[in-house]
Amino acid sequence: MWNRRGVLAAGAAAGVVALTGAARPKRSATVAAGPLESGPLEIVTGEDRFESPATAPAGAVTFRVRTTGPLTGTIGIAKLLDGATEAQFRARMRQVFAAEDPADVIRASRELMATADQLGGAAPHPGADSTFTLRLRPGAYLVLEYLDFAGGLGRQPAPGQEYVRPLIVGTHDSGDRPPRPCGTLTAFDGPAGAPRFALSGRILADQPLRYVNAMRDHVNEARLYPVVDDAVTEADVVAFFKTGTGVPPIDFAGGLGTPPLSSGREVTLRMPMRPGRYAVVSWVRSLIDAQPLTAQGQLLIVRVP
């Protein structure tokens, strides 16, 4: 089955193979508060380094993400669910990326979603930072580099050596609010359950964009790729995701956005976008046929002024 590894092999560029999910089990218990930090929290990822905060306040927390190399740069936050361990999380992340048969993809995705709640994040480029803001409750979280689990797309570390770090959110509330967005992008279940995106407001370069996953019992992401040819239509992009053949109609090397969020979650992004057309797509695999949701029509082409 074609996926982003196939695109990379064809020379189109890298993303991160997204995950599908099932209903979320009960959350794990919170832990004691640790020292707090204020202001944007810095995450730096690269082929030879990974730096992330050890603690954070509760409430609205903003992370600034920087990558120093092409084999890293898809950062996410996750929270283990009741009874799950970090070792299980790492192993099941690898299983999702390694699965190829549709039944294996769906089974691995369900197992992962029984292990952790995915809260989104950001995908920067070398020299172009991104930020994301989440509302966090007190407890223990994980900060991870998704590309470390993606085989040939990332650094290819040995099992157990992936960039995954603990983050303790204390009981003190930051008192901050998420930045006011210029627009809200929503993933939702359309007619007959067909996955769709909707945009309220606009997407502006370097301005906050709120992304909400309103799909029922299904994780989803929002990845934004430049559309360099004005003749490209939404139908062209959907057709490419269905077949995985021909010249990609979008620039996979210029991808921005967020990795997966669990159902009911939201994240506010600030991305270094250039003026022009962008395709908002999802690589998340359907729980019905394991095809990317964009192959089922979840797509928007927008113009950033």
Side-chain angles (χ1 to χ4, degrees):
M1 177 183 298
W2 174 82
N3 56 29
R4 254 176 279 196
R5 275 180 286 181
V7 172
L8 180 63
V16 52
V17 181
L19 315 174
T20 58
R24 289 181 290 169
K26 184 175 64 175
R27 300 179 190 278
S28 57
T30 60
V31 300
L36 301 179
E37 302 181 34
S38 60
L41 303 182
E42 304 288 338
I43 301 174
V44 180
T45 181
E47 295 174 26
D48 58 356
R49 65 190 293 204
F50 188 77
E51 301 172 4
S52 66
T55 61
V61 182
T62 297
F63 299 85
R64 180 182 292 114
V65 183
R66 176 164 60 95
T67 183
T68 62
L71 300 182
T72 56
T74 302
I75 296 298
I77 307 288
K79 184 171 180 58
L80 296 177
L81 299 174
D82 260 354
T85 67
E86 183 179 321
Q88 289 174 327
F89 175 74
R90 291 175 185 262
R92 291 174 181 177
M93 280 284 292
R94 282 186 173 266
Q95 289 170 0
V96 167
F97 283 104
E100 296 183 359
D101 180 80
D104 293 338
V105 170
I106 294 170
R107 181 175 60 253
S109 299
R110 290 186 182 276
E111 289 177 351
L112 178 62
M113 289 307 299
T115 303
D117 196 3
Q118 295 175 89
L119 308 181
H125 298 297
D129 300 353
S130 289
T131 69
F132 66 98
T133 302
L134 300 174
R135 289 189 179 273
L136 298 176
R137 296 180 178 180
Y141 297 79
L142 298 174
V143 183
L144 69 142
E145 170 61 77
Y146 274 85
L147 291 180
D148 272 7
F149 297 90
L153 295 185
R155 298 183 309 126
Q156 303 185 58
Q161 299 301 310
E162 304 91 355
Y163 287 155
V164 179
R165 300 290 186 270
L167 172 69
I168 303 300
V169 175
T171 56
H172 175 76
D173 194 291
S174 68
D176 294 335
R177 296 182 179 180
R180 184 173 181 177
C182 58
T184 295
L185 178 68
T186 303
F188 67 100
D189 300 293
R196 293 293 184 266
F197 284 127
L199 177 64
S200 173
R202 297 187 296 170
I203 299 178
L204 301 176
D206 297 313
Q207 296 298 312
L209 173 68
R210 178 172 171 253
Y211 171 59
V212 179
N213 178 15
M215 296 184 68
R216 295 183 298 273
D217 301 329
H218 210 303
V219 303
N220 207 357
E221 65 173 0
R223 300 300 295 249
L224 292 84
Y225 296 101
V227 182
V228 295
D229 185 349
D230 281 344
V232 169
T233 66
E234 291 187 356
D236 295 331
V237 179
V238 171
F240 180 79
F241 272 74
K242 284 182 176 180
T243 65
T245 60
V247 177
I250 54 183
D251 177 13
F252 287 109
L256 297 165
T258 174
L261 286 75
S262 294
S263 178
R265 291 288 186 172
E266 65 178 68
V267 62
T268 301
L269 304 165
R270 191 188 294 266
M271 300 169 288
M273 308 178 75
R274 296 179 178 179
R277 298 174 82 212
Y278 284 80
V280 184
V281 309
S282 175
W283 293 92
V284 168
R285 305 274 192 100
S286 167
L287 288 174
I288 297 174
D289 61 7
Q291 288 290 318
L293 293 177
T294 291
Q296 300 179 353
Q298 189 163 51
L299 168 76
L300 280 179
I301 291 184
V302 299
R303 184 174 292 277
V304 175

